[in-house]
Amino acid sequence: ISTGLQRTNVSNNALLNFSGVFSIASAVNVTSLSGFRVICSKQGEFAFLVSTTGAVMFRAYENGTTNYVDITSPVGSIVTGNNYLIEVKADGTNSRTGYRLYINGVEQTRSYGGNIGDLTLGIVSGTNEFVIGYSVTMAWTMYGNISQLALWNYSTPQGVSDGVYNNGNFKLFSTW
């Protein structure tokens, strides 16, 4: 998916369940930080994005409500015009500390925000579409490029992250 208001909607499927242990990884190249830049989302469940401060952020919604927690990497982690492999890994504990963020295979220190202190019920899988490049909940879009989005129904071990990053395949953005 490239610059602009393009997005891809994927119909709901039982395999797109983000209520327990999972990992999401994507190659991104953000061209503007004038707004939140969404990599992927599922309305009422989560949004995985780059914030206006250049931080990678995972927003988890509490049981389909408007209550959420934000898990955020340091400000300035992402700079426009550069290629990155970014990942979020969930350990299934429903605690905000159970989400880890990675940039280019390196685990990031995290800060926490949101309008609740922590998840109590966690993300409960609903019937909304999985959307790449847009958040229906917040009307945020991606300006830049998303490539090689990958989803796992387990928290990938570091070796998987290292393999994806070190083999260089995610970096083949020459047509971006």
Side-chain angles (χ1 to χ4, degrees), residues 2 12 39 46 57 63 76-77 90 130 144 155 163:
S2 61
N12 185 54
I39 295 132
F46 75 89
M57 187 168 79
N63 191 22
S77 298
F130 176 77
S155 186

Side-chain angles (χ1 to χ4, degrees), residues 24-108:
I24 302 171
S26 181
V28 298
N29 184 314
V30 179
T31 58
S32 167
L33 292 174
S34 63
F36 287 86
R37 302 304 177 207
V38 176
I39 295 132
C40 61
S41 67
K42 199 164 180 204
Q43 186 176 0
E45 296 183 34
F46 75 89
F48 187 35
L49 56 100
V50 177
S51 75
T52 57
T53 64
V56 173
M57 187 168 79
F58 185 77
R59 175 169 285 181
Y61 290 92
E62 176 73 86
N63 191 22
T65 69
T66 57
N67 294 326
Y68 63 90
V69 295
D70 290 334
I71 300 90
T72 308
S73 73
V75 168
S77 298
I78 303 296
V79 177
T80 59
N82 291 330
N83 300 328
Y84 297 95
L85 174 67
I86 63 172
E87 303 169 90
V88 60
K89 299 178 183 186
D91 68 7
T93 62
N94 293 333
S95 169
R96 66 184 184 178
T97 59
Y99 295 93
R100 297 181 324 273
L101 299 172
Y102 293 80
I103 300 173
N104 294 341
V106 177
E107 187 171 1
Q108 302 295 298

Side-chain angles (χ1 to χ4, degrees), residues 12-14 16-19 42 45 123-127:
N12 185 54
N13 184 295
L16 294 173
N17 180 344
F18 298 92
S19 61
K42 199 164 180 204
E45 296 183 34
I123 299 172
V124 175
S125 186
T127 59

Side-chain angles (χ1 to χ4, degrees), residues 5-22:
L5 297 175
Q6 298 177 13
R7 68 181 191 202
T8 299
N9 293 29
V10 180
S11 297
N12 185 54
N13 184 295
L15 296 175
L16 294 173
N17 180 344
F18 298 92
S19 61
V21 179
F22 66 87

